């Protein structure tokens, strides 16, 4: 077995059935092994950045790490934006990039690029493979790192000669992963849990702010159950859209500059803000120092680095969202929030939108609302970046589906390739669940974002991916 064949075998062991990529010389041994094996479908994108975005959409709908592959040099550097996009939103990706032969590294030869150095700020971890015998260990670790703790992209840069070298040891993918210094805390510290329960019991006006980490941690259902059991209202960040249906009586909208005014007023009027799986960056809370002084804050996150980064918490709690809220559901919490809910409903009813739209043009807010009404309840809505993203986030009526967008990096051209990735994941989910009908997938974008990825229409056409496309064509880069 050579290195390239070992790479394919590792992917098979991880249960990978589909990868997204674009071939080239430095990765050609892997492609030959992939072709010969015939066990993994390769989706050919039209530009390498789209391979990363398609893998992102696939990962978010399948809820498992996805794989993207490119060659060396410009093929690999084209992938960097997609890796940065995935890193900002904590999406688990395995990015495999070809590299020039090991003996040529550092000589600035044809199509050489230092991918480990180039991506240091945008990946959770990276490897430069130096021996074919290391491939099983590296792939095993890469999938583990990408899929545990705070999820994210992992880069495997592999020279062409290593792909062609024969393994000296027998292929072994059975050993457990044990990485010194990487031990994600998932359960939550017991003393901190007691403090959280005590703070909730003292609160008169508690409010949960749910971020993308709730969805990434598969915690939507237990967070909803916790809210319903204790009658606690909830707001979301943009990445948290979908944690609770929009028409739920305890849901009070998306907060932030581009969110609902009544959601921001709910935050300002609360006496205990429970932040779950969100970093609370500038678009969510423009002046966090003001909020810190007036509201008690519980910050729950899987990543210790996110807690207190933008907003100083009264009680920090590190752990997996699902695990923590499953425990909170078992706790003895007794609070009366009837008056608080009534106050929030009054605030919501009194909020009037004074914006006026021309009756000669399409009102984008109404368009998104009417689109939501026509879509299936479990549809997947993929929003791009720009004005269209703000209109989508503010007006999409979430039911039981999913809302995907590039929230942290704000990458234009994301929606079409991500929707293609989501299509393949949903196709697999339908087979696994023995469903005849696949979920509806809508990609919504502006004319600027559409032009950044319109080459992927060829990918969509080649694979007959059932994606509906809405383009807000106003003829300007409006944001």
């Amino acid at each position: 077995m050579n290195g390239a064949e070992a790479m394919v075998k590792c992917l098979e062991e991880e249960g990978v059935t589909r990868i997204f990529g674009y071939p080239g010389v430095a990765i050609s041994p892997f492609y030959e092994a992939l072709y010969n094996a015939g066990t993994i479908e390769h989706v050919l994108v039209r530009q390498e950045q789209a391979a990363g975005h398609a893998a992102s959409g696939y990962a978010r709908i399948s809820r498992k790490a996805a794989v993207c592959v490119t060659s060396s040099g410009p093929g690999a550097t084209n992938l960097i934006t997609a890796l940065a996009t995935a890193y900002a939103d904590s999406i688990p990706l395995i990015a495999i990039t070809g590299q020039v032969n090991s003996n040529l590294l550092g000589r600035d030869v044809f199509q050489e690029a230092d991918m480990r150095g180039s991506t240091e700020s945008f990946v959770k971890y990276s490897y430069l493979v130096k021996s074919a015998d290391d491939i099983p260990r590296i792939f095993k670790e890469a999938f583990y790192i990408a899929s545990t703790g705070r999820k994210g992209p992992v880069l495997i840069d592999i020279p062409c000669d290593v792909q062609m070298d024969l393994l000296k040891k027998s292929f072994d993918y059975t050993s457990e992963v044990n990485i010194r210094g990487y031990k994600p805390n998932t359960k939550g510290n017991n003393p901190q849990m007691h403090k959280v329960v005590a703070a909730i019991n003292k609160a008169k006006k508690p409010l949960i702010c749910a971020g993308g980490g709730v969805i990434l941690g598969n915690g939507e259902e237990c967070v909803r159950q916790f809210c319903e059991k204790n009658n606690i209202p909830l707001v979301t960040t943009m990445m948290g859209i979908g944690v609770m249906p929009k028409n739920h009586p305890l849901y009070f909208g998306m907060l932030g500059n581009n969110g609902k005014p009544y959601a921001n007023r709910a935050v300002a009027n609360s006496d205990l803000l429970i932040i779950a799986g969100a970093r609370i960056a500038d678009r969510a809370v423009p002046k966090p120092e003001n909020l810190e002084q007036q509201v008690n804050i519980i910050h729950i996150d899987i990543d210790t680095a996110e807690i207190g980064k933008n907003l100083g918490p009264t009680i920090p709690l590190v752990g997996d969202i699902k695990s923590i809220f499953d425990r909170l559901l078992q706790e003895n919490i007794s609070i009366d929030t009837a008056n608080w809910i009534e106050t929030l409903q009054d605030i919501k009813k009194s909020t009037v939108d004074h914006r006026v739209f021309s009756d000669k043009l399409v009102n984008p807010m109404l368009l998104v609302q009417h689109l939501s009404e026509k879509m299936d309840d479990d549809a997947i809505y993929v929003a791009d970046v720009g004005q269209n993203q703000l209109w989508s986030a503010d007006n999409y009526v979430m039911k039981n589906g999913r809302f995907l967008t590039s929230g942290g990096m704000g990458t234009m051209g994301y929606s079409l390739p991500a929707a293609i990735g989501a299509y393949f994941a949903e196709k697999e989910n339908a087979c696994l669940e023995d469903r005849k009908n696949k979920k509806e997938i809508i990609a919504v974008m502006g004319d600027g974002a559409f032009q950044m990825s319109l080459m992927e229409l060829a990918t969509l056409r080649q694979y007959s991916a059932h994606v509906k496309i809405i383009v807000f064509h106003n003829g300007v880069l409006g944001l």
Side-chain angles (χ1 to χ4, degrees):
M1 181 183 286
N2 66 18
E5 291 164 341
M7 293 164 68
V8 175
K9 183 67 175 172
C10 291
L11 297 179
E12 291 172 346
E13 291 287 334
E14 289 290 344
V16 174
T17 56
R18 183 173 283 105
I19 63 176
F20 304 86
Y22 202 99
V25 171
I27 196 65
S28 57
F30 168 75
Y31 270 88
E32 184 173 353
L34 189 72
Y35 177 80
N36 290 335
T39 54
I40 299 173
E41 181 183 5
H42 177 267
V43 178
L44 177 67
V45 295
R46 271 32 181 197
Q47 206 261 12
E48 291 88 355
Q49 185 181 145
H53 293 329
S56 172
Y58 181 91
R60 293 171 77 167
I61 298 303
S62 69
R63 297 183 186 252
K64 60 184 181 182
V67 181
C68 51
V69 183
T70 74
S71 191
S72 66
T77 57
N78 278 346
L79 187 62
I80 292 177
T81 297
L83 295 180
T85 303
Y87 184 76
D89 290 335
S90 307
I91 309 302
L93 299 186
I94 305 298
I96 302 170
T97 54
Q99 184 56 276
V100 301
N101 285 348
S102 303
N103 63 320
L104 299 177
L105 286 170
R107 295 186 179 185
D108 292 332
V109 298
F110 180 67
Q111 290 195 336
E112 179 190 1
D114 175 13
M115 285 306 294
R116 289 198 74 190
S118 301
T119 61
E120 186 175 2
S121 300
F122 303 123
V123 294
K124 192 173 175 185
Y125 198 71
S126 62
Y127 294 91
L128 174 62
V129 186
K130 297 178 180 179
S131 168
D133 286 315
D134 290 336
I135 288 172
R137 173 185 62 82
I138 286 174
F139 271 69
K140 187 96 172 181
E141 289 181 0
F143 274 90
Y144 177 73
I145 292 169
S147 305
T148 56
R150 179 183 175 181
K151 299 171 184 177
V154 174
L155 172 75
I156 303 175
D157 195 36
I158 182 159
C160 194
D161 60 314
V162 175
Q163 298 173 51
M164 294 186 287
D165 286 345
L166 296 177
L167 275 68
K168 296 179 179 62
K169 298 184 291 187
S170 60
F171 180 90
D172 181 13
Y173 208 73
T174 58
S175 58
E176 290 186 10
V177 176
N178 187 12
I179 303 171
R180 185 186 301 168
Y182 182 70
K183 308 290 181 187
N185 179 12
T186 60
K187 294 183 179 179
N189 178 274
N190 283 331
Q192 292 299 99
M193 284 289 294
H194 295 322
K195 290 180 183 179
V196 167
V197 173
I200 295 172
N201 275 321
K202 287 180 183 177
K204 303 294 182 186
K205 297 183 289 183
L207 180 70
I208 292 178
C209 173
V214 175
I215 298 171
L216 287 164
N218 303 319
E220 304 103 305
E221 186 175 346
C222 57
V223 170
R224 282 198 299 267
Q225 288 177 0
F226 179 78
C227 290
E228 290 164 352
K229 178 184 177 184
N230 300 292
N231 203 33
I232 296 176
L234 179 140
V235 297
T236 67
T237 64
M238 183 180 289
M239 295 302 292
I241 292 174
V243 170
M244 192 174 275
K246 194 164 187 174
N247 61 359
H248 196 289
L250 292 174
Y251 182 58
F252 287 89
M254 181 183 82
L255 82 165
N257 291 345
N258 305 300
K260 297 294 186 185
Y262 51 81
N264 294 327
R265 289 179 65 187
V267 172
N269 284 284
S270 66
D271 62 3
L272 180 66
L273 180 63
I274 305 169
I275 301 169
R279 72 168 66 90
I280 304 296
D282 57 321
R283 287 217 291 182
V285 179
K287 294 183 178 180
E289 62 276 5
N290 294 347
L291 190 62
E292 290 175 19
Q293 297 170 6
Q294 62 192 63
V295 180
N296 289 323
I297 297 169
I298 297 170
H299 195 166
I300 306 169
D301 204 284
I302 192 75
D303 185 1
T304 54
E306 289 303 320
I307 295 179
K309 179 191 284 185
N310 298 310
L311 198 63
T314 313
I315 304 172
L317 180 59
V318 178
D320 175 75
I321 292 293
K322 187 177 187 305
S323 174
I324 285 173
F325 274 88
D326 278 340
R327 289 177 65 184
L328 286 174
L329 280 166
Q330 310 305 317
E331 295 287 346
N332 183 21
I333 294 173
S334 179
I335 53 175
D336 183 1
T337 60
N339 290 338
W340 171 227
I341 298 293
E342 188 176 338
T343 299
L344 291 181
Q345 289 171 343
D346 290 342
I347 290 173
K348 188 174 182 178
K349 289 175 185 175
S350 66
T351 302
V352 179
D353 190 346
H354 295 288
R355 289 174 292 184
V356 178
F357 291 87
S358 168
D359 57 4
K360 298 177 182 178
L361 300 170
V362 173
N363 181 329
M365 298 169 64
L366 288 177
L367 190 149
V368 173
Q369 291 168 17
H370 291 320
L371 175 64
S372 303
E373 293 168 5
K374 297 291 184 182
M375 289 168 60
D376 296 338
D377 284 2
D378 59 356
I380 299 166
Y381 188 116
V382 189
D384 216 286
V385 171
Q387 286 177 311
N388 62 91
Q389 183 189 48
L390 308 183
W391 292 325
S392 291
D394 195 31
N395 296 282
Y396 174 51
V397 182
M398 170 60 70
K399 300 167 191 169
N400 299 312
R402 290 289 302 277
F403 180 85
L404 309 185
T405 193
S406 167
M409 192 57 60
T411 306
M412 285 178 68
Y414 173 83
S415 62
L416 183 52
I420 292 172
Y423 161 79
F424 282 109
E426 169 51 26
K427 183 179 177 182
E428 288 183 11
N429 287 344
C431 290
L432 290 171
E433 297 166 11
D434 197 24
R435 285 189 278 115
K436 291 183 179 179
N437 297 322
K438 292 187 285 290
K439 293 177 182 176
E440 193 174 40
I441 300 172
I442 315 281
V444 179
M445 62 202 76
D447 47 332
F450 178 57
Q451 292 177 78
M452 284 194 173
S453 60
L454 56 81
M455 76 288 280
E456 298 309 322
L457 288 174
T459 308
L460 185 148
R461 178 67 185 85
Q462 178 180 348
Y463 296 96
S464 301
H466 299 168
V467 174
K468 297 172 183 175
I469 300 170
I470 307 285
V471 181
F472 285 95
H473 182 13
N474 58 3
V476 297
L477 299 174
L479 205 63

